[in-house]
Amino acid sequence: MDRKTYTAELAGLRELRTEITAAEKLVAAAQKELDKLTAQRARRVAGLAGYEGAQAPAIAKASGLSLGDVVRIAPLLDPTPAAVRAAKADDRAAAAVPAPAPVAEPVVEPVAAVAPALTRPAAVLEQPTPAAPPVEAPTEAEHQAVVEQPAPAAPAVPAAPVAPVAVGPRELPALPEGPAGARFEAVTTGLVSKRPNFTQQARSTVFLDAATGELAVRDRVVRLDLGTRTPGEILDAVLATAPGTERIYITAGAPWHDGAERYSTLKDAVAAWLNTPSERWTTAVGSGRDKLAGHFVHQRQPVGRYAPAASPDGPVTEIRSMGEWFDPDGADVVTCRQAFTLLWQALRRHWDDAVLMGSPSQTGRDLWSRTIPTTGKWAGGYPVLSEELRGLLHATGGQGRTELILPPRVPEQLPALVEYDRTFAYAKHLWKSPVGVPRRITAAAFAAMTEAEQVKALMSCSHWNVRVTVPAGWNHVGLLPAPVTGDRAWVYPSEPGATFTTWAGGAEVHLALSNHLGPWKVEILGGLLFEDGKPLDEWGKRLKAAWADLTNLSKLHADERQRQAAYLASRAVRSVLLFGLGGFAQRPRLVSGTTPVGEALPAGVEILGQAGDVVTWQRQAGFSRDPYAHPEWAAYVWSGARAALLDMKYRHGKEVIGHAGALHAKPGTVVYFGTDGIALTERQPWPYRGEPGDYLLKGHLTGPVEHPASQEEYLKLRGLGRAELVATEKGTDL
């Protein structure tokens, strides 16, 4: 080829490039239109599912979809018998993380290895957010997440705000050297999460309004005389009407709060009510070194377990709060019972052997155990980490971020208070989780990695001990948690130059290094690198499908009672996931018990109160040999959720089409973080598609608003903002 031909070919190549670019634009425009029409068709198919006589074959023919596609869009239309459905499992494992570069000779361990900045700082502190296609937004969203119960409260929830840079002296544990450190790269011998080979037995359950005496039992409602509403009188009245009842859910009335004004704390009042003397009933007890009380003392959602006094080893009847599953919000006993029925039906569409247990935590864990794979690497079950490693994760992996940001970082007079809540938030973070025995990464090992290996390690399922420095010129919210003493276990420093040492999940560390406002300085002191796996993915997919079924039903059903019941059932699915995940954290057990006055109390107990001749106490009992203890999963999901409060990507397939989160709001506008939601001083252009993790506008309180001085004041303002938004939307509808 001569020079003339070469030049001519270059010119032709440029023309071809122009034609290809034009064609790509046409294809992109056509694809955008196709996506719009496809989404419109999916919404119409989902809407048709609300008709009781809807048939999947007819809808498939009219829409041009296959029967399988129709069922995927609207699972309520699935004509396949539940017994023959097979859940799809994705057994693909992520690529193994490369080992650290070998070191030929012994090296001196560096104090820390500086992690690489993963993006260049933006030229300005605020970037425009790409707009996503507009989608009609539902009117309901998620409430603020709470700590798993009956486990003790997670350390990340504060009682009151403190100065944001007041990093206290609390020192977090580190990975020890030598033989002791080997226990942090080990599992507990003989303890594996295995798929059960039995089916749970359903319990005979009734629903009682303790305020009116109305009892929903099977398909009828009767009114009972509850006397003074002591546990014994409630048990007598219920079992006389519904013999064989094993579980009583109190939907309204909260009898455990009767006479609460006589006690110094609400917990004392609840303990006294649970232990009210009765000639016919006694506390159901277990076995062990101590005679453990069957009751669980909680301020608002206690559990009482009783057996006949004549036969203490006889059948046990529980008295529980409906609030464990959802806030009844004025629903009558029939609606609550119907919500449980719809919940069971929705779960049975995805688990042939689903059974509703006493609490959402127990139910969630049981359902998860039935998704443990029967083939592949983890067919024999998932090993439980060593007690030392579980203790480290318990001490260093907090739950949700709860923070009230105080002036002068925000105005004394807020122009407005706008609340956004992430819908079914934790469900978005279950697609990947750590599995197997972690590999310890020292500062030297991290420093020896190539930059690509360091980035991969930070993006993998990991937990890092880091020293962090807030960069000069930073004027936004804090990104990483710092440990402090007192009721509030974590704060989020944001003052330029602040330095602190902490532990954080890979998602948060990666965000600190890659956020669009500018990278923070992060020095790696050590860490734990797990294999990327999908132990929660199938469980999450099924729960999300059940939640979507019930959410759609709550909007489309013609009967108002059924709509309300479906909504409450969707909230119960959320509780199953939220508390089921909290159950994996398996914090040290909190054991409660009772001892007659005058007898010696067990060592190390905290006295909860005294009722008559009985003292009720509790104490920490360490970690149990729980085959379903996986704090590494809970810590990883919580870390991802905290990162998403700051920066969440909206995707269409693999394409990022928008962003949301605190870092995409103007500096000085973020007022409050509340586990899965945030409050700001102005509205944001964040799209809402009704998908798990999306930010939904939940409240808007018109200003000027005096800045709340405490969390309690904020919660009052939040309630006013939600009421104002509802009133505004009703006015708009008129």
Side-chain angles (χ1 to χ4, degrees):
M1 178 183 295
D2 57 17
R3 184 176 181 81
K4 183 177 180 181
T5 303
Y6 173 78
T7 302
E9 285 295 321
L10 281 179
L13 192 59
R14 293 189 189 97
E15 293 176 359
L16 184 60
R17 180 194 65 189
T18 303
E19 292 173 1
I20 291 174
T21 301
E24 286 176 342
K25 290 181 179 179
L26 289 174
V27 171
Q31 184 64 50
K32 184 177 180 180
E33 180 64 18
L34 177 60
D35 292 342
K36 179 180 177 181
L37 294 173
T38 301
Q40 183 179 355
R41 177 174 63 181
R43 288 195 295 272
R44 290 191 177 186
V45 168
L48 289 171
Y51 174 59
E52 292 184 353
Q55 297 292 325
I59 296 176
K61 184 176 181 180
S63 62
L65 294 169
S66 68
L67 187 61
D69 289 335
V70 169
V71 170
R72 276 191 290 273
I73 295 171
L76 287 172
L77 298 174
D78 190 354
T80 308
V84 299
R85 284 192 204 125
K88 295 182 179 180
D90 186 0
D91 293 329
R92 293 176 298 174
V97 178
V103 181
E105 298 179 0
V107 297
V108 177
E109 179 75 6
V111 175
V114 179
L118 305 183
T119 60
R120 293 183 180 179
V124 293
L125 285 179
E126 189 174 3
Q127 294 183 344
T129 301
V135 179
E136 182 180 354
T139 58
E140 301 291 346
E142 299 301 299
H143 291 305
Q144 179 171 313
V146 295
V147 178
E148 160 64 7
Q149 58 167 335
V157 181
V162 297
V165 295
V167 181
R170 184 166 68 97
E171 184 176 348
L172 296 179
L175 294 170
E177 300 294 334
R183 293 292 300 150
F184 290 82
E185 296 178 85
V187 297
T188 302
T189 304
L191 202 58
V192 179
S193 303
K194 294 183 178 180
R195 193 183 185 107
N197 57 4
F198 62 91
T199 301
Q200 293 287 356
Q201 298 299 308
R203 304 288 184 183
S204 176
T205 303
V206 298
F207 301 83
L208 175 66
D209 184 331
T212 65
E214 289 187 335
L215 178 75
V217 50
R218 301 181 183 88
D219 57 350
R220 62 194 178 102
V221 177
V222 295
R223 188 178 294 274
L224 306 180
D225 180 1
L226 302 179
T228 60
R229 308 199 312 171
T230 64
E233 290 171 306
I234 290 175
L235 291 166
D236 287 340
V238 169
L239 291 173
T241 303
T245 294
E246 298 171 272
R247 190 171 292 143
I248 303 169
Y249 281 110
I250 304 295
T251 65
W256 40 80
H257 290 164
D258 289 352
E261 67 279 358
R262 302 195 306 268
Y263 299 88
S264 58
T265 68
L266 200 56
K267 201 167 187 177
D268 288 345
V270 172
W273 183 86
L274 289 171
N275 291 292
T276 303
S278 170
E279 294 181 357
R280 292 172 49 81
W281 298 96
T282 186
T283 302
V285 296
S287 59
R289 290 179 301 172
D290 305 312
K291 206 169 189 181
L292 305 181
H295 304 322
F296 170 65
V297 182
H298 186 277
Q299 291 91 326
R300 290 176 177 80
Q301 296 167 13
V303 179
R305 298 183 179 94
Y306 301 92
S311 53
D313 296 327
V316 174
T317 302
E318 293 183 332
I319 300 179
R320 310 187 71 114
S321 168
M322 191 85 266
E324 292 185 72
W325 293 86
F326 52 76
D327 179 3
D329 194 24
D332 59 29
V333 289
V334 175
T335 302
C336 290
R337 184 181 185 279
Q338 185 59 28
F340 254 57
T341 300
L342 291 175
L343 171 63
W344 177 77
Q345 291 172 344
L347 294 175
R348 290 283 286 197
R349 283 192 284 272
H350 304 283
W351 281 275
D352 294 338
D353 51 358
V355 171
L356 297 182
M357 302 178 70
S359 71
S361 174
Q362 295 169 327
T363 303
R365 192 168 71 170
D366 180 68
L367 293 176
W368 171 79
S369 70
R370 298 172 193 281
T371 66
I372 296 175
T374 56
T375 59
K377 181 176 181 179
W378 305 107
Y382 295 98
V384 174
L385 301 178
S386 67
E387 186 168 329
E388 290 83 353
L389 185 47
R390 281 183 279 154
L392 175 74
L393 290 167
H394 165 61
T396 61
Q399 191 188 352
R401 176 174 181 170
T402 305
E403 179 186 19
L404 178 62
I405 299 176
L406 301 173
R409 297 169 62 198
V410 290
E412 292 278 2
Q413 290 283 332
L414 306 178
L417 188 64
V418 184
E419 178 196 1
Y420 285 90
D421 210 39
R422 295 187 66 216
T423 299
F424 206 20
Y426 288 167
K428 186 177 178 65
H429 304 283
L430 302 177
W431 66 278
K432 183 176 77 170
S433 302
V435 290
V437 182
R439 177 162 60 96
R440 180 179 180 180
I441 305 296
T442 63
F446 188 84
M449 290 180 178
T450 65
E451 184 171 329
E453 289 172 338
Q454 290 177 342
V455 172
K456 184 174 182 179
L458 292 170
M459 295 182 67
S460 299
C461 295
S462 51
H463 194 57
W464 299 97
N465 187 198
V466 292
R467 183 163 55 240
V468 184
T469 301
V470 182
W474 185 262
N475 68 341
H476 220 299
V477 297
L479 304 186
L480 292 171
V484 292
T485 56
D487 292 336
R488 181 170 187 165
W490 306 93
V491 294
Y492 293 80
S494 62
E495 292 297 323
T499 298
F500 57 95
T501 300
T502 189
W503 282 82
E508 295 169 280
V509 174
H510 184 267
L511 176 65
L513 294 165
S514 65
N515 73 87
H516 67 283
L517 302 182
W520 285 29
K521 181 182 178 182
V522 178
E523 300 169 84
I524 303 297
L525 305 175
L528 296 165
L529 186 60
F530 291 83
E531 177 184 341
D532 291 351
K534 292 181 174 290
L536 304 178
D537 186 48
E538 182 63 25
W539 179 66
K541 285 178 178 176
R542 297 190 197 184
L543 289 177
K544 284 187 284 187
W547 172 80
D549 292 351
L550 293 165
T551 299
N552 287 334
L553 190 64
S554 71
K555 301 170 190 172
L556 301 172
H557 203 288
D559 182 77
E560 182 178 355
R561 183 190 293 273
Q562 288 292 94
R563 288 199 302 271
Q564 185 183 15
Y567 170 70
L568 295 178
S570 73
R571 302 297 298 170
V573 174
R574 173 187 178 274
S575 296
V576 168
L577 188 148
L578 177 67
F579 295 131
L581 179 67
F584 289 126
Q586 205 263 313
R587 301 185 182 279
R589 291 175 300 154
L590 192 65
V591 174
S592 60
T594 57
T595 300
V597 173
E599 293 188 11
L601 295 172
V605 303
E606 172 193 357
I607 297 176
L608 297 178
Q610 178 179 335
D613 296 331
V614 175
V615 175
T616 302
W617 48 260
Q618 68 180 17
R619 72 175 181 182
Q620 294 282 353
F623 292 98
S624 65
R625 282 185 59 85
D626 184 351
Y628 298 113
H630 289 284
E632 69 275 22
W633 297 347
Y636 185 76
V637 172
W638 292 337
S639 174
R642 289 193 300 267
L645 278 182
L646 299 167
D647 179 25
M648 191 196 78
K649 297 177 177 63
Y650 290 92
R651 298 182 183 273
H652 183 75
K654 294 184 178 180
E655 180 186 2
V656 176
I657 60 173
H659 296 265
L663 292 184
H664 297 277
K666 294 177 183 177
T669 63
V670 180
V671 178
Y672 186 79
F673 289 94
T675 304
D676 54 4
I678 57 178
L680 309 102
T681 60
E682 58 186 30
R683 293 202 183 192
Q684 304 296 320
W686 300 336
Y688 184 76
R689 306 162 299 178
E691 297 180 5
D694 282 3
Y695 280 85
L696 174 66
L697 177 65
K698 191 67 178 291
H700 185 138
L701 184 60
T702 303
V705 179
E706 191 75 24
H707 187 286
S710 66
Q711 186 180 22
E712 290 72 21
E713 290 184 16
Y714 164 75
L715 294 176
K716 292 178 182 178
L717 294 176
R718 186 186 71 176
L720 296 175
R722 291 182 177 183
E724 181 180 314
L725 182 63
V726 170
T728 302
E729 289 176 342
K730 286 183 178 179
T732 303
D733 292 340
L734 295 175

